[in-house]
């Protein structure tokens, strides 16, 4: 990733950024396990070009919302890849936990304004939204173990259980994945056996929040600052990295010469061996800029895969 990042930083950024965003968004064309590499690359680029990180998150959120309005089976692979990318983007600190939970509540609540909308967008025998929630929380839920993020997750799991028990009986594979998620995030979590029990728990949460608001207390979202959350997430991320990965990042980011080379982007830094594969993809990118077109597989996809 570090070597790919160095090479991408040499591109003429104003012209290359829209193309890079387009490539990074084609997550459904890469292996599911490689989506983390795409988010890692985006996180590295966003350290030097904030607009790329903001643009990537905005486009992913738009795609997730579009998928809610078009719940067709042909979009399932793309939608799963999008929420996985969103979770990995949180892991690389491109967005905060509040945005993640906004998406989670959107997944279980969108289109439930009327019975007619429910039957079209989220019928009782459609369990794909549950799969999306599982994919998102399986990616980044392990970081929601302290502070405001922990309280947000506890609250969401109550709403999630109410959503699940309102559905038809779950297929065995979905039930197994959901139980694995509960076991990994909240071992020993009490699962509601009926909608009445789940609805009562949700009503109790809402009543406590209403009482707290009436007493002038701050909501969960305001209790911890975003800076504190980002600091804790950075600590958790570094704890999950191997020593070799940390050393590699230190070598790449701690060198003043490397930073100068990134800032200049003119190739005047230390001489590096030529990567034939990268040169071919770079020439393909130049052809796209001049209107000659390129193959269907983007440069970023090839490099990270």
């Amino acid at each position: 990733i570090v070597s790919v990042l160095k090479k991408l930083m040499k591109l003429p950024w104003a012209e290359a950024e829209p193309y890079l965003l387009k490539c990074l968004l084609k997550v459904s064309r890469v292996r599911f396990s490689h989506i983390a590499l795409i988010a890692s690359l985006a996180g590295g680029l966003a350290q030097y070009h904030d607009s790329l990180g903001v643009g990537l998150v905005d486009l992913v959120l738009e795609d997730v919302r579009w998928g809610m309005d078009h719940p067709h089976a042909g979009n399932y692979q793309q939608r799963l890849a999008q929420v996985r990318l969103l979770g990995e983007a949180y892991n690389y600190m491109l967005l905060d936990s509040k945005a993640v939970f906004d998406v989670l509540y959107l997944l279980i609540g969108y289109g439930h304004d009327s019975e007619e909308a429910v039957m079209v967008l989220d019928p009782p025998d459609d369990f794909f939204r549950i799969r999306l929630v599982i994919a998102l929380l399986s990616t980044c839920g392990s970081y929601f173990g302290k502070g405001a993020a922990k309280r947000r997750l506890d609250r969401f799991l109550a709403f999630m259980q109410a959503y699940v028990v309102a559905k038809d009986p779950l297929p065995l594979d979905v039930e197994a994945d959901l139980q694995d998620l509960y076991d990994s995030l909240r071992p020993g979590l009490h699962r509601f056996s009926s909608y009445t029990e789940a609805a009562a728990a949700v009503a109790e949460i809402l009543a406590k929040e209403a009482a707290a608001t009436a007493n002038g207390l701050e909501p969960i979202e305001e209790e911890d600052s975003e800076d504190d959350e980002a600091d804790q997430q950075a600590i958790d991320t570094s704890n999950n990295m191997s020593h070799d990965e940390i050393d590699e990042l230190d070598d790449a980011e701690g060198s003043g010469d490397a930073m100068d080379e990134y800032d200049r982007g003119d190739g005047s830094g230390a001489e590096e061996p030529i990567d034939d594969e990268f040169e071919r993809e770079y020439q393909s990118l130049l052809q796209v800029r001049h209107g000659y077109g390129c193959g269907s597989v983007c440069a970023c996809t090839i490099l990270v895969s």
Side-chain angles (χ1 to χ4, degrees), residues 290-303:
H290 293 293
Y292 297 124
C294 72
S296 59
V297 181
C298 64
C300 289
T301 299
I302 294 176
L303 288 172

Side-chain angles (χ1 to χ4, degrees), residues 25 54-70 78-79 82 86 103 106 110:
L25 287 171
V54 174
L56 179 64
V57 171
D58 285 346
L59 291 173
V60 173
L61 291 175
E62 289 179 9
D63 288 343
V64 170
R65 180 62 177 266
W66 182 89
M68 305 295 288
D69 288 318
H70 302 83
Q78 179 180 359
R79 294 173 66 191
Q82 288 166 352
L86 191 67
V103 173
L106 180 71
Y110 184 78

Side-chain angles (χ1 to χ4, degrees), residues 20-43:
L20 287 174
L21 279 173
K22 181 180 179 181
C23 294
L24 293 172
L25 287 171
K26 294 181 178 179
V27 289
S28 60
R29 299 188 180 183
V30 303
R31 296 178 181 177
F32 203 66
S33 59
H34 287 180
I35 295 178
L37 300 179
I38 295 178
S40 175
L41 184 62

Side-chain angles (χ1 to χ4, degrees), residues 14 120 143 160 216 218 254:
V120 173
Y143 294 104
M160 175 65 178
E218 294 180 340

Side-chain angles (χ1 to χ4, degrees), residues 164-215:
V164 170
V165 296
K167 290 279 191 178
D168 290 347
L170 300 181
L172 292 179
D173 60 329
V174 178
E175 174 65 31
D177 291 341
L178 186 62
Q179 186 59 52
D180 289 343
L181 177 70
Y182 290 153
D183 291 342
S184 63
L185 297 181
R186 294 293 184 269
L189 175 71
H190 171 67
R191 295 192 61 175
F192 303 128
S193 58
S194 66
Y195 181 76
T196 301
E197 184 183 5
V202 170
E204 182 181 358
I205 292 174
L206 295 177
K208 289 181 179 179
E209 291 178 352
T213 302
N215 294 330

Side-chain angles (χ1 to χ4, degrees), residues 19-286:
Y19 180 73
L20 287 174
L21 279 173
K22 181 180 179 181
C23 294
L24 293 172
L25 287 171
K26 294 181 178 179
V27 289
S28 60
R29 299 188 180 183
V30 303
R31 296 178 181 177
F32 203 66
S33 59
H34 287 180
I35 295 178
L37 300 179
I38 295 178
S40 175
L41 184 62
L45 292 170
Q47 293 182 21
Y48 309 101
H49 300 283
D50 293 339
S51 58
L52 183 133
V54 174
L56 179 64
V57 171
D58 285 346
L59 291 173
V60 173
L61 291 175
E62 289 179 9
D63 288 343
V64 170
R65 180 62 177 266
W66 182 89
M68 305 295 288
D69 288 318
H70 302 83
H72 307 305
N75 299 329
Y76 282 1
Q77 180 179 355
Q78 179 180 359
R79 294 173 66 191
L80 274 173
Q82 288 166 352
V83 297
R84 174 66 183 269
L85 179 60
L86 191 67
E88 294 292 354
Y90 172 80
N91 294 345
Y92 287 96
M93 292 177 284
L94 294 176
L95 71 161
D96 59 17
S97 65
K98 186 177 184 300
V100 174
F101 282 101
D102 286 344
V103 173
L104 288 170
Y105 283 109
L106 180 71
L107 291 175
I108 65 174
Y110 184 78
H112 285 248
D113 299 331
S114 65
E115 185 176 352
E116 293 78 9
V118 170
M119 297 308 298
V120 173
L121 299 177
D122 190 26
D125 58 350
D126 186 353
F127 310 101
F128 187 69
R129 291 195 186 187
I130 299 177
R131 297 181 188 274
L132 292 177
V133 171
I134 293 172
L136 182 51
L137 285 179
S138 296
T139 303
C140 60
S142 60
Y143 294 104
F144 302 148
K146 298 179 181 178
K150 179 182 184 299
R151 292 186 288 274
R152 291 176 186 141
L153 180 59
D154 292 338
R155 181 184 190 273
F156 172 76
L157 289 178
F159 283 79
M160 175 65 178
Q161 289 197 69
Y163 173 80
V164 170
V165 296
K167 290 279 191 178
D168 290 347
L170 300 181
L172 292 179
D173 60 329
V174 178
E175 174 65 31
D177 291 341
L178 186 62
Q179 186 59 52
D180 289 343
L181 177 70
Y182 290 153
D183 291 342
S184 63
L185 297 181
R186 294 293 184 269
L189 175 71
H190 171 67
R191 295 192 61 175
F192 303 128
S193 58
S194 66
Y195 181 76
T196 301
E197 184 183 5
V202 170
E204 182 181 358
I205 292 174
L206 295 177
K208 289 181 179 179
E209 291 178 352
T213 302
N215 294 330
L217 300 178
E218 294 180 340
I220 291 177
E221 287 78 4
E222 304 297 334
E223 291 179 359
D224 290 355
S225 68
E226 294 181 4
D227 292 339
D228 292 341
E229 177 184 337
D231 292 342
Q232 183 60 48
Q233 185 183 356
I235 293 173
D236 293 340
T237 302
S238 63
N239 289 339
N240 290 334
M241 295 174 63
S242 66
H243 294 296
D244 293 338
E245 289 174 325
I246 295 175
D247 292 341
E248 183 178 4
L249 289 178
D250 289 342
D251 292 341
E253 297 179 1
S255 172
D257 294 340
M259 296 302 103
D260 292 341
E261 182 179 345
Y262 287 158
D263 293 338
R264 290 194 300 270
D266 55 6
S268 59
E271 191 69 24
E272 295 182 359
I274 297 177
D275 189 317
D276 293 337
E277 182 179 0
F278 173 77
E279 291 299 327
R280 289 195 300 270
E281 298 304 325
Y282 180 64
Q283 293 300 323
S284 176
L285 173 59
L286 294 180

